[in-house]
Amino acid sequence: MPPASTGASAVALPDAAHQPSPSQPSASTDLRHRPGDRAFRRSNLALFAAGIATFVLLYSTQGLLPILSADLGLTPGQASWTASAATLGLALALLPASALSDRYGRTAVMTASVVTASGIALALPFAPDLRTLIVLRLLQGAALAGLPATAMAYLAEEVHPSALASAMGLYVAGNSIGGMGGRLVSGWTAAAWGWRWGLAASAALALLAALAFRLLIPAARHFRPAPVNAAALARTVGGHLRNPLLLRLYALGALFMAVFGAVYNTVGYRLVSAPFHLPESVAASIFVVYLVGTASSAGAGRIAARLGRRGALYVAIGVCAAGLLLSLAGSLLCALLGLVLITAGFFVGHATASSSVGRTATEGRAQASALYLIAYYLGNSLGGILGADAYHSVGWDGAAAVGLTAMTLAAAVTLYATRRAITTRRTAAAGTLRA
């Protein structure tokens, strides 16, 4: 998918498994949006707003987990379910949402997605107990799946190829701003007036972004509805799940995101507790570190160009592990520097693994990317819960241990791939000599 984004926004481009619409027009008759067109500016701004709305809602509870625990008497593990439930719901709904967009249209599915998710957001502040809040978050995540599963397909169909990279870049920027902004807005507001007002502030911000999306998005001119070929889709997905290289990439995405979930679901608890005792508003501000992902994602391509894909993965694993180890020190400076390294390593690893999916899949790239995202968000859900439970049991050392275990497994996966590549090259060289 996924692009090398901070929010890991999915791409569900049309392909054979979905019986796509007829081929795009020739260059002489191509009427897709180009830079300078009013429709191009509107579509760019609309998808930017959609990205903000999606990730404001998806991560709205992560910035206020310590406040939820204090107010409702929850353990970190219990409170973390409010964050993990949303990513779990999104993971489970990605493939169905992609299929619905092929049948009913990109703008229809995106509109239904953002409106439904924003409507659920309005109900969250009134949740009477934890169970209701978790169920609503699960439904909200499932509703949100329509945007990441469809947005880039819309851009690919409606925007001229010469401008597609810039249009997708702006969408990814919306993801980044939304992911950070959702955590900051809810955290700051909750620190002042409680978690219910924090969720209300996130809902208001998402509603404004959703309204901007609906008012700006141009009507689709190149979409052609097509029934989903379920048998072809199943064959494509099954083929991807039998591809060892793709499976390794999916595992890496899940493992890197498990670290991210474990760390960011618990870092707020650590900062407001001994020995730091930071105010809740200051602890919520830690999500500004999320911006490190923008720079490290951009640099991932350069690292891969110099060291190769596996070399970039080793760098990402090493940086992330170094950050986890540094964070074990008792000083606030080490804790913050460790978080910067963890964030940078995560985004390099995610950018490398996700971009490799599209190059590895020779057909059914949309489904290959969707499967990566499913693994990615499942990793987030599982890592967030395990990290929070470990933090509750033994403190920050436990959360860091979850992250280090995930990075050890990621190193094992990458080392296995390296050994296979070396063996393959040696076998090929021996065959050439015998020939």
Side-chain angles (χ1 to χ4, degrees):
M1 121 173 140
S5 74
T6 52
S9 45
V11 55
L13 303 180
D15 55 36
H18 283 100
Q19 296 183 353
S21 56
S23 58
Q24 297 290 357
S26 64
S28 60
T29 60
D30 197 331
L31 300 178
R32 285 177 288 178
H33 309 320
R34 299 171 184 262
D37 296 346
R38 182 170 181 268
F40 177 78
R41 291 192 297 271
R42 289 186 58 184
S43 62
N44 273 6
L45 291 173
L47 269 296
F48 178 77
I52 289 177
T54 301
F55 287 92
V56 161
L57 295 176
L58 188 62
Y59 293 111
S60 60
T61 63
Q62 196 173 57
L64 47 79
L65 294 180
I67 300 172
L68 270 173
S69 288
D71 192 56
L72 299 179
L74 307 175
T75 67
Q78 291 172 324
S80 289
W81 269 104
T82 65
S84 295
T87 52
L88 176 62
L90 187 147
L92 297 177
L94 276 169
L95 280 175
S98 175
L100 286 173
S101 78
D102 285 330
R103 177 65 182 87
Y104 296 105
R106 316 300 185 200
T107 53
V109 168
M110 287 190 291
T111 300
S113 177
V114 72
V115 169
T116 302
S118 297
I120 295 173
L122 293 175
L124 291 178
F126 302 99
D129 52 40
L130 176 65
R131 179 175 298 180
T132 304
L133 186 58
I134 290 172
V135 170
L136 288 173
R137 288 286 287 159
L138 181 72
L139 294 174
Q140 187 178 46
L144 281 170
L147 267 164
T150 304
M152 289 192 176
Y154 171 86
L155 289 174
E157 291 169 351
E158 303 299 326
V159 173
H160 191 270
S162 64
L164 189 57
S166 63
M168 287 187 174
L170 190 59
Y171 172 60
V172 168
N175 296 347
S176 176
I177 292 173
M180 182 184 69
R183 293 165 167 98
L184 293 177
V185 167
S186 63
W188 286 339
T189 306
W193 296 296
W195 65 269
R196 295 183 187 276
W197 282 106
L199 289 176
S202 291
L205 179 60
L207 278 171
L208 289 174
L211 179 62
F213 164 78
R214 190 65 192 96
L215 293 175
L216 289 168
I217 190 73
R221 296 188 297 181
H222 301 288
F223 171 77
R224 298 293 182 271
V228 175
N229 186 327
L233 178 60
R235 285 194 299 271
T236 300
V237 170
H240 292 330
L241 294 177
R242 291 189 295 271
N243 185 320
L245 178 52
L246 284 176
L247 287 178
R248 290 195 292 270
L249 293 171
Y250 298 156
L252 288 168
L255 290 168
F256 275 110
M257 194 53 162
V259 176
F260 206 65
V263 167
Y264 274 91
N265 274 15
T266 55
V267 67
Y269 290 99
R270 187 189 191 194
L271 294 177
V272 300
S273 303
F276 305 130
H277 295 295
L278 295 182
E280 290 171 341
S281 58
V282 176
S285 303
I286 197 64
F287 293 106
V288 171
V289 175
Y290 202 72
L291 291 175
V292 171
T294 302
S296 56
S297 293
R302 293 190 295 273
I303 296 172
R306 172 170 292 189
L307 303 177
R309 179 177 63 199
R310 284 184 295 275
L313 288 171
Y314 284 126
V315 169
I317 293 166
V319 170
C320 203
L324 288 163
L325 292 172
L326 181 60
S327 72
L328 294 174
S331 74
L332 181 59
L333 178 61
C334 286
L336 296 179
L337 289 177
L339 188 61
V340 168
L341 290 177
I342 293 165
T343 305
F346 160 74
F347 279 110
V348 171
H350 164 53
T352 303
S354 62
S355 62
S356 298
V357 170
R359 294 197 299 270
T360 301
T362 56
E363 60 182 22
R365 288 187 174 91
Q367 288 70 46
S369 293
L371 289 171
Y372 175 86
L373 281 185
I374 290 171
Y376 176 88
Y377 282 114
L378 287 177
N380 178 279
S381 298
L382 182 61
I385 292 168
L386 291 177
D389 283 337
Y391 178 87
H392 179 63
S393 299
V394 296
W396 180 256
D397 290 359
V402 171
L404 287 169
T405 300
M407 287 297 91
T408 300
L409 293 173
V413 170
T414 309
L415 181 60
Y416 174 78
T418 302
R419 291 173 64 98
R420 279 185 60 90
I422 292 172
T423 301
T424 301
R425 285 198 297 268
R426 287 175 176 172
T427 302
T432 301
L433 289 175
R434 284 195 298 268

